[in-house]
Amino acid sequence: MSTVFSTPQPVLLPVAGLEDRFPVRRVYCVGRNYAAHAIEMGHDPNREAPFFFQKNPDNLLFENENFPYPPLSQDVHHEIELAVALKSGGADIDAAVALDCVYGYGVAIDFTRRDLQAEAKAAGRPWEVAKAFEHSAPISAIQPTDRIGHPSHGRIWLNVNGVIKQDGNLDQMIWKVPEIIAELSRLFVLAAGDVILTGTPAGVGAVHRGDRINCGVDGVDTLSLTVV
Ligand code: MN
């Protein structure tokens, strides 16, 4: 069927070791999934139900691309996160089999306009303006599970201009990857191509134009970019 204007191609992430790419359908994010980060943001670190928000697939920024500082904010923060890339989905997925849905993992940053998020929180408004802006989610190539397995522990870290800012471990996640998939699938019907950012450890902070960011998840990948 013809369309009234040309149809945009889906976002196609590189896959480590393959020519084939990973077509992105949706991007979900988990809030406050490391206790030390919940505390630094002024929240109770006790295990409350996970909550979610979304970014847009075309907010993803590919490896080797620089991050353009976004407009209308003076306080853009880095949040290093493990990304989970799904090859299948469904509704009401049992946590015991949830990892069967995972194609691979990546390293991502959930860039956040913290000042706009604070305004949204105070006004009881949604978070999109703080979270789902252009280029707000740099992400590495996807590392298939047949190369790296399912990482459940390992250092998750980020440095700015060579100074370590975030230094946590995947085993500090309040909600583990299978539980995240299970909970999310109670709210939404998940499908192949969905990418889930699983929350950030403590140490979030502001970035500035010219900053060089290096980050990674041990056993998964690294990611480097400059704020421009
Ligand atoms: Mn985040």
Side-chain angles (χ1 to χ4, degrees):
M1 184 178 291
S2 63
T3 56
V4 296
F5 52 82
S6 61
T7 309
Q9 203 182 26
V11 173
L12 303 174
L13 294 177
V15 177
L18 293 180
E19 290 295 316
D20 290 347
R21 295 203 161 217
F22 180 91
V24 179
R25 190 184 80 118
R26 294 180 184 169
V27 178
Y28 294 102
C29 304
V30 184
R32 283 174 224 146
N33 199 30
Y34 290 74
H37 173 62
I39 291 168
E40 77 178 348
M41 297 301 293
H43 297 282
D44 184 344
N46 290 318
R47 202 172 195 248
E48 54 183 18
F51 69 93
F52 303 97
F53 57 91
Q54 283 171 266
K55 296 197 182 212
N56 302 295
D58 66 355
N59 296 151
L60 293 168
L61 183 70
F62 285 24
E63 56 182 359
N64 304 317
E65 291 186 331
N66 290 325
F67 172 64
Y69 199 93
L72 297 177
S73 178
Q74 315 302 322
D75 194 26
V76 175
H77 280 203
H78 54 76
E79 298 187 357
I80 174 72
E81 310 207 358
L82 175 72
V84 181
L86 301 189
K87 65 183 178 188
S88 63
D92 299 321
I93 298 166
D94 190 328
V97 296
L99 290 182
D100 294 345
C101 299
V102 177
Y103 175 78
Y105 297 86
V107 173
I109 302 175
D110 168 17
F111 274 119
T112 303
R113 291 195 278 214
R114 194 71 74 202
D115 42 4
L116 300 192
Q117 186 190 36
E119 288 174 15
K121 284 179 179 176
R125 290 180 184 149
W127 285 9
E128 274 86 355
V129 295
K131 291 290 195 178
F133 57 90
E134 312 313 322
H135 318 297
S136 59
I139 189 166
S140 71
I142 301 301
Q143 301 283 340
T145 58
D146 58 13
R147 287 169 66 105
I148 66 162
H150 294 279
S152 59
H153 61 89
R155 196 170 161 241
I156 177 168
W157 55 275
L158 179 144
N159 74 46
V160 180
N161 302 323
V163 178
I164 193 76
K165 299 289 186 180
Q166 294 189 263
D167 195 357
N169 195 293
L170 296 180
D171 63 16
Q172 297 165 340
M173 282 189 191
I174 297 170
W175 294 87
K176 312 302 184 190
V177 170
E179 297 170 320
I180 291 169
I181 293 169
E183 287 292 320
L184 193 56
S185 76
R186 298 173 63 205
L187 291 161
F188 303 100
V189 179
L190 301 180
D194 289 349
V195 174
I196 307 168
L197 273 52
T198 55
T200 197
V204 302
V207 299
H208 305 92
R209 285 188 184 85
D211 283 348
R212 183 68 181 167
I213 297 173
N214 290 289
C215 58
V217 178
D218 289 1
V220 180
D221 206 352
T222 59
L223 187 62
S224 299
L225 51 92
T226 300
V227 182
V228 297

